[in-house]
Amino acid sequence: MQNKDSFILYTRYLDTFKELSDEDAGKLIKCILEYVNDMNPEPEGLIKIAFIPIKQQLKEDLVKWKEEKEKRSLAGKKGMESRYSNVNKEITNDNSVRKCYNKTNNVKNELTNLTDNVNVYVNDNVFNNNNNNIITNNTITNNIIISVELPLIDGTLYQISEDKVKEWQQVYQALDVKNELEKMKCWLNANPKNRKTRKGVERFIVAWLNRSQDKAPRIITSKPINDIQDRETAQDSIQEVDEDIVNQLKTLMGV
């Protein structure tokens, strides 16, 4: 019984064992164990008579086991063939290789795990040949660069394109819009109960940017005087103001 590590000993053999002395019952058990381990025992007398039907049953069980094992093996091969019967090419997309077998059990082709997800996550710098720009740490979806993804209340992500960020940046010039969006992402991750629906998330974004814009410091810049003509014009204006002040003082003093 090579390659088989168990066997069935039926309860109906109890009557046979009862008719034997304890010593003979022990010898019968030993004989059975030697037989199933391919040791070819040769019992004698009463033990031989008791062992004959048990031996016959063990042979029948072994045949049934071999047939069942072969059926399962064939079923597994058929399932593999059916699963990959339409695969005719070698497809490579990653390093996880699964082998597909044909009817002769030879390797038909090598199939790798493919993904149907249209999102490709870029972890390193990618060179874009269309406009010679470098795209860094963004997501590309249907050729649209996604800058930030905000978690929604239903567990999905709201993708904000790079173009949309640039559009908001033109409106909210006092802010770093990309940085504000990253703040929103952190806040929503920390407060999952306050996440928005897909319809309401843009209203949330605009309200956030409006508040941040109102809180941003006002920077007042003056136009520098860059050329000689501008400086001379400014000096003439200052001189005219000084002369007016002097004349007003003389009038008041009666001079």
Side-chain angles (χ1 to χ4, degrees):
M1 301 183 70
Q2 189 177 4
N3 299 325
K4 192 172 185 291
D5 58 3
S6 63
F7 67 96
I8 300 174
L9 188 62
Y10 295 92
T11 57
R12 63 174 179 268
Y13 299 144
L14 178 61
D15 292 336
T16 300
F17 277 88
K18 281 184 176 181
E19 297 299 324
L20 300 174
S21 66
D22 290 344
E23 182 181 354
D24 288 341
K27 290 180 180 180
L28 179 58
I29 286 293
K30 184 177 180 181
C31 179
I32 293 172
L33 291 174
E34 288 177 349
Y35 177 77
V36 296
N37 282 280
D38 299 321
M39 297 176 67
N40 298 318
E42 296 181 358
E44 297 179 351
L46 189 60
I47 306 301
K48 181 177 182 179
I49 295 172
F51 179 61
I52 289 174
I54 297 175
K55 179 180 179 180
Q56 185 63 35
Q57 185 65 58
L58 290 172
K59 285 183 178 180
E60 293 177 2
D61 289 347
L62 180 60
V63 171
K64 291 178 181 179
W65 177 77
K66 288 181 177 180
E67 290 176 350
E68 184 65 25
K69 183 179 179 182
E70 184 64 23
K71 287 180 181 179
R72 292 182 180 181
S73 178
L74 291 174
K77 290 178 182 179
K78 289 181 179 180
M80 183 70 73
E81 291 172 2
S82 174
R83 185 175 182 181
Y84 298 120
S85 60
N86 295 325
V87 180
N88 297 317
K89 298 179 180 180
E90 181 179 356
I91 305 173
T92 57
N93 191 45
D94 55 25
N95 294 325
S96 300
V97 178
R98 292 181 297 175
K99 291 182 179 180
C100 174
Y101 297 91
N102 61 10
K103 293 181 180 180
T104 60
N105 209 31
N106 295 323
V107 176
K108 187 174 183 179
N109 52 44
E110 292 183 351
L111 181 67
T112 61
N113 294 325
L114 304 179
T115 177
D116 295 328
N117 194 340
V118 296
N119 293 344
V120 180
Y121 292 91
V122 183
N123 294 322
D124 298 320
N125 290 341
V126 178
F127 188 75
N128 186 337
N129 292 323
N130 294 328
N131 53 17
N132 295 331
N133 291 329
I134 297 295
I135 306 170
T136 307
N137 294 329
N138 286 325
T139 305
I140 303 175
T141 303
N142 294 333
N143 297 323
I144 298 175
I145 305 172
I146 303 302
S147 180
V148 180
E149 293 178 319
L150 300 181
L152 299 177
I153 196 169
D154 61 0
T156 61
L157 295 175
Y158 181 74
Q159 297 178 327
I160 302 172
S161 69
E162 191 72 24
D163 290 339
K164 192 66 175 178
V165 174
K166 291 178 181 179
E167 177 185 328
W168 282 329
Q169 189 64 66
Q170 292 294 323
V171 178
Y172 302 98
Q173 296 184 7
L175 304 175
D176 182 341
V177 173
K178 177 71 176 293
N179 185 52
E180 293 296 323
L181 290 170
E182 292 292 347
K183 290 180 183 178
M184 295 179 209
K185 180 178 178 180
C186 292
W187 188 85
L188 291 171
N189 284 330
N191 300 274
K193 292 183 179 180
N194 294 324
R195 293 177 184 177
K196 311 303 174 184
T197 63
R198 189 167 296 275
K199 290 183 179 180
V201 67
E202 190 161 335
R203 184 169 60 253
F204 163 76
I205 295 170
V206 172
W208 179 298
L209 293 175
N210 283 332
R211 288 193 301 271
S212 298
Q213 177 90 343
D214 293 340
K215 295 177 182 178
R218 296 289 184 264
I219 300 175
I220 301 175
T221 59
S222 58
K223 182 179 179 182
I225 302 174
N226 296 321
D227 51 52
I228 297 175
Q229 184 176 358
D230 289 341
R231 286 198 297 272
E232 290 178 349
T233 303
Q235 289 175 355
D236 291 342
S237 298
I238 293 171
Q239 185 176 358
E240 290 176 0
V241 171
D242 290 343
E243 290 179 354
D244 289 341
I245 293 173
V246 171
N247 290 333
Q248 290 178 11
L249 288 172
K250 287 181 178 181
T251 302
L252 293 172
M253 296 174 65
V255 178

